[in-house]
């Protein structure tokens, strides 16, 4: 199963080399067929130049520049329309996600034939390193609200680091979220539409360079919008968007 890794990148000149080299080396170590698909989200620094240079070192790297509109969600969606693999992970450019965790996601998907594999930083075995205190409080409150409203047990919906089969991505379209609220749109739609999933503990490490692109004060109403959309679909769509299962083959008498 070929793995695609979609990485949105905006002004990640200082981080992107370490991220892509580590990711490529790890996936090669486990002989996982893959492509690394970076969306340069109209960066204003030297990100595009660095990607040009890295493309000479990393044969599995492909990259695009999203001409606009721009934003985290748009950048991820740009990559999700162009990846070539059988499954696709969303991975952060700042190396906050661990490539070894991605390997665990991949083998978990193969092992159980899951439609999705979700990471959790808060399950036993998960961990966060240098997580800002205020951001942690907001994260836990937001995830508690999502669990309560949607009636789910999964405790890290806002975690962007997840793996989906190609069929799952096709089945949860069209995408609505233009910003970081895409992180909850993808898994909630997958759950509502009947795709199965496994949860794997993962680690998260705060970025060493640059600044976070997530502006919490701008995101509250956007997360709420997506949450309400998924709630309405869950209870009022009459199953119109549910996962299509193949009908069992009929025996033909001869």
């Amino acid at each position: 199963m070929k793995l695609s890794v979609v990485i949105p990148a905006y002004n990640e000149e200082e981080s992107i080399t370490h991220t892509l080299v580590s990711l490529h080396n790890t996936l090669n170590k486990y002989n996982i067929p893959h492509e690394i698909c970076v969306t340069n989200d109209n960066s204003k620094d030297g990100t595009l130049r660095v990607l040009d240079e890295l493309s000479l070192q990393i044969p599995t790297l492909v990259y695009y520049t999203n001409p606009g509109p721009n934003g985290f969600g748009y950048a991820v969606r740009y990559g999700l329309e162009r990846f070539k693999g059988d499954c696709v992970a969303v991975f952060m450019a700042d190396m906050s996600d661990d490539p070894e965790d991605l390997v665990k996601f991949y083998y978990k998907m193969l092992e159980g034939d899951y439609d999705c594999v979700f990471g959790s930083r808060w399950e036993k075995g998960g961990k966060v390193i240098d997580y800002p205190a205020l951001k942690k409080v907001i994260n836990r409150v937001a995830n508690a609200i999502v669990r309560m409203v949607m009636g789910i047990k999964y405790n890290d919906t806002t975690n962007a680091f997840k793996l989906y089969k190609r069929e799952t991505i096709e089945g949860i379209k069209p995408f609505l979220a233009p910003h970081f609220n895409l992180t909850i749109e993808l898994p909630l739609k997958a759950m509502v539409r009947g795709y199965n999933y496994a949860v794997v503990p993962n680690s998260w490490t705060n970025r060493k360079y640059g600044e976070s692109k997530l502006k919490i004060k701008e995101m509250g109403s956007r997360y709420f919008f997506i949450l309400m959309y998924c709630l309405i679909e869950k209870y009022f769509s009459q199953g119109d968007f549910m996962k299509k299962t193949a009908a069992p083959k009929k025996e033909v008498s001869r």
Side-chain angles (χ1 to χ4, degrees), residues 29-222:
K29 180 173 71 173
Y30 291 95
N31 295 313
I32 295 175
H34 69 277
E35 67 167 356
I36 300 171
C37 182
V38 178
T39 301
N40 168 42
D41 200 33
N42 250 332
S43 296
K44 302 299 187 289
D45 65 355
T47 297
L48 186 58
R49 172 186 53 77
V50 174
L51 288 171
D52 284 335
E53 295 169 357
L54 288 172
S55 67
L56 303 176
Q57 306 172 35
I58 302 175
T60 56
L61 172 63
V62 293
Y63 61 95
Y64 311 97
T65 292
N66 174 24
N70 299 116
F72 176 87
Y74 285 125
V76 173
R77 287 161 55 179
Y78 202 85
L80 292 179
E81 293 294 341
R82 289 163 176 78
F83 76 94
K84 302 294 194 300
D86 304 298
C87 59
V88 59
V90 178
F91 196 89
M92 301 304 282
D94 60 6
M95 201 59 188
S96 56
D97 301 320
D98 187 340
E100 290 285 344
D101 287 333
L102 179 55
V103 172
K104 295 175 188 174
F105 287 18
Y106 177 82
Y107 284 118
K108 187 70 175 181
M109 178 171 278
L110 288 178
E111 169 194 316
D113 194 27
Y114 292 105
D115 298 317
C116 325
V117 177
F118 300 154
S120 175
R121 297 162 289 186
W122 316 106
E123 295 272 321
K124 183 179 180 181
K127 64 179 178 179
V128 295
I129 300 170
D130 196 22
Y131 203 100
L134 176 60
K135 188 175 178 181
K136 181 177 180 179
V137 170
I138 294 172
N139 176 288
R140 302 322 301 139
V141 170
N143 276 282
I145 292 171
V146 171
R147 289 204 314 274
M148 179 181 66
V149 170
M150 296 300 297
I152 60 176
K153 294 182 179 180
Y154 177 48
N155 66 358
D156 202 8
T157 314
T158 58
N159 184 357
F161 188 21
K162 297 179 174 74
L163 176 65
Y164 303 88
K165 282 185 178 177
R166 172 176 285 279
E167 294 81 2
T168 307
I169 290 295
E170 293 301 319
I172 60 178
K173 290 179 179 178
F175 304 130
L176 302 176
H179 300 289
F180 279 88
N181 48 345
L182 186 71
T183 61
I184 70 169
E185 179 182 359
L186 301 183
L188 290 182
K189 275 187 178 176
M191 294 177 192
V192 167
R193 297 184 183 185
Y195 293 89
N196 63 19
Y197 66 94
V199 178
V200 174
N202 74 283
S203 63
W204 182 94
T205 304
N206 200 8
R207 63 164 59 241
K208 292 183 173 61
Y209 307 104
E211 62 177 20
S212 173
K213 311 306 185 294
L214 173 59
K215 308 301 181 186
I216 294 173
K217 64 182 180 181
E218 300 174 4
M219 290 307 301
S221 62
R222 289 171 172 149

